[in-house]
Amino acid sequence: MKKIQMVDLKGQYEKIKDRVDQSVLDVIESSAFINGPEVHTFQKELETYLGVKHVIPCANGTDALQIAMMGLGLQPGDEVITADFTFAATVEVIALLQLTPVLVDVEEGSFNIDPEAIRKAITPKTKAIVPVHLFGQCANMDAILEIAQEHDLFVIEDNAQAIGATYTFANGNKKKAGAIGHVASTSFFPSKNLGCYGDGGAIFTNDDDLAHIIRGIVNHGMYERYHHDVVGVNSRLDSIQATILRAKLPHLDSYNAARQSAARKYNAAFEGNTKISTPYISKTCENSICENCDCHVFHQYTLRVKNVNRDALVKHLNDQGIPCGVYYPIPLHSQKAYKDARYNEADFPVTNQLVKEVISLPMHTELDDEQIDFITKTVLDFVNK
Ligand SMILES: *Cc1c(COP(=O)(O)O)cnc(C)c1O
């Protein structure tokens, strides 16, 4: 059996090696390292893929979030509501911009921000909601857009984990994750569903004016050379990363399909086990994963275990050569950097439970049946002991 990895970047690279190597050499040969034609072409190709008017590449997913918030003109003291159960980048940039993060609980099933909790957290200072499409599945965007409209709030999608996912609205309309809110961010960190070979990110929007503002912000606030109209940053996707992303974008749907196929096999093995909850899929797919649907693109395959010592399970898997992850072990509202006297433990029942029960199994495009069988057997041996 091939060694099991949490993410198999090497195996994926081997299959596109010729194209990637040649593209990288071509960029080096051209010496157009910064803002070269490959960056522009990638931007256009991603706009087409997502069905979004503007893609603005930048240096990483954290910058993308920060720049989106700067572009919207959010001011110190403005309140921004986001999920308590997510990666810290989201709340970090809110705090860095001296906005006030307001963390709220997530839904029991999808692990995504709970619209009811958003409603309860709204005050006259609330300016924006940041839903994070966690683990590859969109938050409840019907409800979030409705709340945003009612209260005149911006919606900033953190789409670092769900690129390629499709959201189906209650009326049957479909949109790609990241093409739904006022603005969205994504990350091309190597292990993300569309990853480059270093750092990278992008901002998406359908708003022409906002796109113009953001294009200046990523480039030192310049709209005309050496005229600095606003305070900006230096945040660029370089041409070598862009050409690698161009080589990978045509494979994104098949990469996501490979993740879904692995998820289906995991689900089948764990079905009926009373101590294991397999990932819940909202809406269109009920509790199974359809063959031709991208409602969940499995950035992570995350189980909840009950009446099982989760940390002992992690150790057992590691001892058997199976890497796994706990995303995330600590609620953001309990992190030293983001503690706030306004938070009340009783407002986070779901997150407080999830951090004790979640475990993410290896998930990538190169998992084979032998590996999946070994992983599922090893999990079940421990759980059923
Ligand atoms: C990875 C990630 C980010 C940050 O992306 P970087 O490119 O690492 O800066 C932000 N939000 C979420 C939810 C992520 O998973």
Side-chain angles (χ1 to χ4, degrees), residues 36 54 77 86 120 129 158 179 212 235 252 255 306 327 341 349 385:
H54 305 280
T86 181
K120 283 192 206 137
I129 307 169
D158 180 343
H212 174 74
S235 190
L252 178 57
Y255 287 162
K306 290 196 195 287
Y327 310 119
K385 190 171 64 183

Side-chain angles (χ1 to χ4, degrees), residues 60-62 65 86-87 89-90 132 158 160-161 187 189 192 200 328:
N60 58 68
T62 310
L65 274 168
T86 181
F87 182 55
T90 324
V132 182
D158 180 343
Q161 299 191 3
S187 164
F189 184 79
K192 304 280 159 127
Y328 298 91

Side-chain angles (χ1 to χ4, degrees), residues 254-269:
S254 63
Y255 287 162
N256 284 339
R259 288 169 177 275
Q260 291 172 326
S261 164
R264 236 178 258 122
K265 290 171 191 164
Y266 277 141
N267 280 356

Side-chain angles (χ1 to χ4, degrees), residues 40-156:
H40 188 71
T41 310
F42 169 64
Q43 168 196 323
K44 291 287 164 207
E45 287 168 351
L46 190 57
E47 284 166 358
T48 304
Y49 174 84
L50 292 169
V52 72
K53 257 173 112 176
H54 305 280
V55 166
I56 302 118
C58 67
N60 58 68
T62 310
D63 272 9
L65 274 168
Q66 175 178 332
I67 293 158
M69 289 177 203
M70 290 169 75
L72 292 171
L74 301 183
Q75 296 298 320
D78 287 350
E79 292 180 4
V80 179
I81 299 176
T82 195
D84 189 36
F85 186 66
T86 181
F87 182 55
T90 324
V91 67
E92 176 179 79
V93 300
I94 298 171
L96 268 176
L97 293 173
Q98 295 185 308
L99 311 172
T100 306
V102 178
L103 295 167
V104 302
D105 208 8
V106 296
E107 291 178 323
E108 179 84 20
S110 71
F111 306 140
N112 277 320
I113 193 165
D114 180 352
E116 282 317 305
I118 296 175
R119 276 191 191 283
K120 283 192 206 137
I122 289 174
T123 76
K125 288 185 177 171
T126 309
K127 288 286 154 42
I129 307 169
V130 187
V132 182
H133 302 319
L134 203 71
F135 302 154
Q137 173 171 234
C138 284
N140 182 344
M141 295 307 287
D142 281 278
I144 291 167
L145 292 183
E146 190 183 307
I147 295 168
Q149 200 156 31
E150 254 171 60
H151 297 270
D152 199 19
L153 308 174
F154 294 119
V155 174
I156 305 163

